[in-house]
Amino acid sequence: MRNLTDGIMLDSAQTFIPYGCPRREVEALLAEHGIPMEPEPSQEDSFCVRSKMLGASIRCRVCLGFENEAFAGVVFAALEPPEAMERVFFVFQQRLESLLGQRGKPPQGSRLFGQSSTYTEYTWETGGIYARHTFSDRFAPSTTTIVRVAPPAATTPDARGKKSLLRGRKPGVIAWE
């Protein structure tokens, strides 16, 4: 089952994690399937696994994020050589469009070009899902994808009084905040 409006599929172990699932149940499910969990030292409300994503044979580092101890979404980045990242971006872009019911109809994208870099971003907000897919070659080519249950509230503090966002900090580093 690969339905981004209901949850996330970790393809390597064919494990589906529904949004809202309690953290302890997610951890038990991953342990049951033998999926090692890596703590995210700077993020107490997330941990990472390695898995293929979106039905592609592309290895990824996947950070699972939790809000109020319930699964809220993922941030994943491809673990492929830099020379493969542009291809990876287009593969994931096609899969996201299809899984979000937008096959062949990408959303309005942002594309910025600098003297030495390119940055492309597509963002969807559909069916209660927020998804952002980016490609950057500023330092080294990288692609990062965020899928979560609701748009990040950049200006709305969460219950702890701090802002809640998903964002990639620099190429190859992903974080749930």
Side-chain angles (χ1 to χ4, degrees):
M1 176 181 196
R2 221 176 264 118
N3 182 346
L4 291 178
T5 60
D6 295 332
I8 298 296
M9 172 69 90
L10 300 176
D11 292 333
S12 294
Q14 292 297 299
T15 303
F16 182 76
I17 304 171
Y19 300 119
C21 186
R23 182 179 179 139
R24 66 184 176 287
E25 289 181 26
V26 172
E27 290 172 346
L29 179 66
L30 296 177
E32 177 182 314
H33 284 88
I35 300 171
M37 295 170 271
E38 306 166 12
E40 186 64 24
S42 64
Q43 303 292 322
E44 66 186 51
D45 53 357
S46 70
F47 58 83
C48 298
V49 298
R50 297 193 185 248
S51 181
K52 294 177 182 171
M53 297 296 293
L54 303 181
S57 60
I58 299 167
R59 296 176 316 112
C60 297
R61 181 167 189 256
V62 183
C63 282
L64 293 100
F66 299 85
E67 292 179 357
N68 300 319
E69 292 296 310
F71 177 62
V74 297
V75 179
F76 60 92
L79 297 172
E80 297 290 322
E83 60 273 9
M85 285 300 166
E86 192 167 352
R87 178 190 61 82
V88 166
F89 176 80
F90 289 109
V91 167
F92 281 159
Q93 181 66 24
Q94 288 175 336
R95 306 247 174 179
L96 283 165
E97 288 173 16
S98 179
L99 291 169
L100 292 167
Q102 305 293 312
R103 187 179 207 130
K105 300 181 283 183
Q108 181 74 26
S110 300
R111 191 173 188 120
L112 306 169
F113 300 97
Q115 290 179 325
S116 62
S117 67
T118 302
Y119 177 84
T120 303
E121 176 183 288
Y122 290 99
T123 302
W124 295 265
E125 290 185 41
T126 180
I129 298 299
Y130 170 84
R132 185 175 75 209
H133 184 221
T134 61
F135 173 81
S136 174
D137 68 355
R138 176 143 171 97
F139 301 106
S142 66
T143 182
T144 303
T145 306
I146 297 167
V147 181
R148 62 175 282 135
V149 288
T155 59
T156 306
D158 68 9
R160 294 179 307 254
K162 66 179 191 179
K163 294 179 183 177
S164 177
L165 285 176
L166 274 170
R167 64 181 157 162
R169 294 193 176 172
K170 56 186 175 182
V173 176
I174 51 182
W176 177 277
E177 290 187 344

